[in-house]
Amino acid sequence: MMTTTIIYTIISLCAIGIASAVILYFVAQKFKVEEDPRIDTVESILPGANCGGCGKPGCRGFAEATVKATSLDGLFCPVGGAETMTKVAVALGMEVTAQTPQIAVVRCNGTCDHRQRTSQYDGYKSCAIEHSLYRGETDCTFGCLGCGDCVTACPFDAIHMDENGLPVVSEEKCVACGACVKACPRNIIELRNKGVKDRRVFVCCVNKDKGNIARKACTAACIGCGKCVKECPFEAITLENNLAYIDFRKCRLCRKCVSVCPTHAIHEVNFPPRKITEPADQLKTATN
């Protein structure tokens, strides 16, 4: 009798299991979400860094965005660059517009020689925390705090702190993902076009204080004198809130602004050394 009961129980459980499996199968088929197989194809083309530099939640999110889009305009993978985007375009049967390569630029030159330390931070080593607590260790409330949040945020080991306590970007490793830009609470890091032959001209300062206050806090600060604005023949420089800014889309790299800046706040990168021109009387004496 007991054996028969056990057999009936086993049969009943098996029947319930089979019925449940059949029901679950039909429910899954009824409510399943069809996914475009091209998403997997595009994801396999992407570098898999999942850095978020494209503005999407990882490479999978970027792949879904490209498949759903009618055009690739505004969609760009900074890690893979133009080569990867060309492959994505071919896989989707679309055209891709070439984008100018960019690089992270640190707009602060507040070294120890330029900024005197007026206090000492004795808390957790974090720019975000230090920025939220007080003005910083110097009188410049806009410059780099030197704790290295940008270094920690970079997934490509493309940024390091130098001996002056300022972040330095590696041109070979930086992919312009923007992670360091988001990590900096002082907004001193910016993505700019690499420029012709990797040459760039930019104002290496974000201090918006008036000239005398900014100069007192840092001898390399922009004092908002406007000389660079007047000198630029391409109207690429604007002056707002006591701070000059060079629009890299308008700048023609003539470097005239560099020469007139009284505090040397405008930096030129990857240019050949300037030719030293001697006065005419010295040339005449040398010739004789």
Side-chain angles (χ1 to χ4, degrees):
M1 185 70 178
M2 184 171 292
T3 304
T4 306
T5 303
I6 294 174
I7 293 174
Y8 284 148
T9 301
I10 294 175
I11 294 175
S12 299
L13 291 174
C14 290
I16 293 173
I18 293 172
S20 299
V22 172
I23 293 172
L24 288 174
Y25 172 78
F26 283 108
V27 170
Q29 293 298 314
K30 177 70 175 179
F31 295 102
K32 74 175 180 179
V33 178
E34 296 289 345
E35 191 174 62
D36 196 319
R38 294 180 299 172
I39 295 176
D40 292 328
T41 302
V42 173
E43 186 180 17
S44 65
I45 296 173
L46 298 175
N50 292 311
C51 62
C54 58
K56 306 299 178 183
C59 292
R60 184 73 179 182
F62 182 75
E64 292 176 357
T66 56
V67 170
K68 293 177 181 178
T70 56
S71 170
L72 294 179
D73 293 342
L75 294 169
F76 185 75
C77 172
V79 180
E83 183 179 352
T84 296
M85 290 307 300
T86 300
K87 294 179 180 178
V88 171
V90 171
L92 298 177
M94 297 182 182
E95 293 183 357
V96 60
T97 304
Q99 295 195 28
T100 305
Q102 291 191 317
I103 189 171
V105 173
V106 179
R107 295 182 56 209
C108 179
N109 193 33
T111 63
C112 298
D113 295 334
H114 296 149
R115 284 191 297 173
Q116 291 186 355
R117 178 177 292 179
T118 56
S119 62
Q120 184 174 355
Y121 175 67
D122 192 24
Y124 183 76
K125 197 74 171 176
S126 167
C127 295
I129 294 176
E130 184 175 346
H131 175 69
S132 65
L133 293 176
Y134 80 131
R135 62 190 299 166
E137 295 183 333
T138 69
D139 288 336
C140 179
T141 59
F142 297 89
C144 177
L145 293 167
C147 295
D149 285 17
C150 52
V151 177
T152 305
C154 180
F156 303 100
D157 192 36
I159 187 167
H160 297 90
M161 305 301 291
D162 65 7
E163 63 277 5
N164 295 312
L166 291 176
V168 177
V169 178
S170 170
E171 296 195 17
E172 292 75 22
K173 295 181 179 180
C174 181
V175 299
C177 69
C180 57
V181 177
K182 298 175 183 177
C184 180
R186 291 284 176 92
N187 298 316
I188 68 164
I189 305 179
E190 168 188 31
L191 295 182
R192 297 177 71 91
N193 287 351
K194 280 191 172 183
V196 181
K197 297 182 179 179
D198 290 341
R199 296 174 180 174
R200 297 176 292 282
V201 177
F202 59 95
V203 179
C204 195
C205 181
V206 294
N207 195 322
K208 296 179 181 179
D209 286 330
K210 291 184 178 180
N212 58 337
I213 300 176
R215 185 65 184 273
K216 185 178 180 180
C218 179
T219 57
C222 172
I223 57 176
C225 65
K227 290 184 178 180
C228 54
V229 179
K230 297 177 182 178
E231 190 70 20
C232 180
F234 305 106
E235 299 183 350
I237 308 178
T238 54
L239 185 64
E240 186 177 354
N241 295 326
N242 308 305
L243 179 65
Y245 179 79
I246 300 176
D247 188 341
F248 56 81
R249 292 164 295 188
K250 296 181 180 179
C251 179
R252 295 296 179 268
L253 306 177
C254 69
R255 296 191 289 170
K256 291 183 178 181
C257 57
V258 179
S259 303
V260 299
C261 180
T263 60
H264 306 290
I266 302 179
H267 285 202
E268 51 185 348
V269 180
N270 294 330
F271 285 89
R274 290 176 180 267
K275 294 181 180 180
I276 300 176
T277 56
E278 298 182 5
D281 56 344
Q282 292 185 12
L283 290 174
K284 186 176 180 180
T285 303
T287 305
N288 294 336

